[in-house]
Amino acid sequence: MRAALEEAKHAAQNDEVPIGAVLVDPQTGEIIARAGNRTRQLNDPSAHAEILCIRQACEKAGAQRIPDLDLYVTLEPCAMCAAAISFARLNRIIFGAPDPKGGGIIHGGQFYEQPTCHWKPQVSQGILAEECGQILKDFFKSRR
């Protein structure tokens, strides 16, 4: 999660919403992909940290599914990212701070609980939650 927080800090430095993600091989601990939000930089509303990580890892694997990887992300993924995680067949997702307003896993539409969801990863939450949430609070406070 510390590596995901570093990606979130880089995103904030680039005036992006500070969310970071890393994809990890749980067998070796190796970080396979890392990213922070880049929606403004890429002029792409889908350029969330999770999506960018999944794209990198799929490119490296030469496959559309990467079932042996775990995703660490600083904030509960939105519904779009939850769907991408499911479609990529990720093994596990670990997120820091919950997102009552925009989350799609334990809040909102609870994507993995829907009958249209074909793959549900293992979900863990609350890892460094305070630190993950604080970077977002500080970012938005500085813009008000």
Side-chain angles (χ1 to χ4, degrees), residues 10 23 27 31 58 61 98 128 140:
H10 291 304
L23 271 167
Q27 300 299 317
I31 294 175
C58 286
L128 299 177
F140 287 114

Side-chain angles (χ1 to χ4, degrees), residues 3-15:
L5 273 164
E6 285 303 312
E7 292 302 318
K9 290 174 186 173
H10 291 304
Q13 291 168 353
N14 292 317
D15 200 33

Side-chain angles (χ1 to χ4, degrees), residues 67-106:
D68 297 325
L69 300 180
D70 293 346
L71 179 72
Y72 290 79
V73 61
T74 56
L75 185 68
E76 176 185 354
C78 69
M80 174 184 69
C81 292
I85 290 162
S86 178
F87 295 148
R89 301 294 196 265
L90 294 180
N91 178 52
R92 188 167 63 132
I93 176 168
I94 303 95
F95 67 85
D99 187 359
K101 186 175 180 183
I105 295 177
I106 62 170

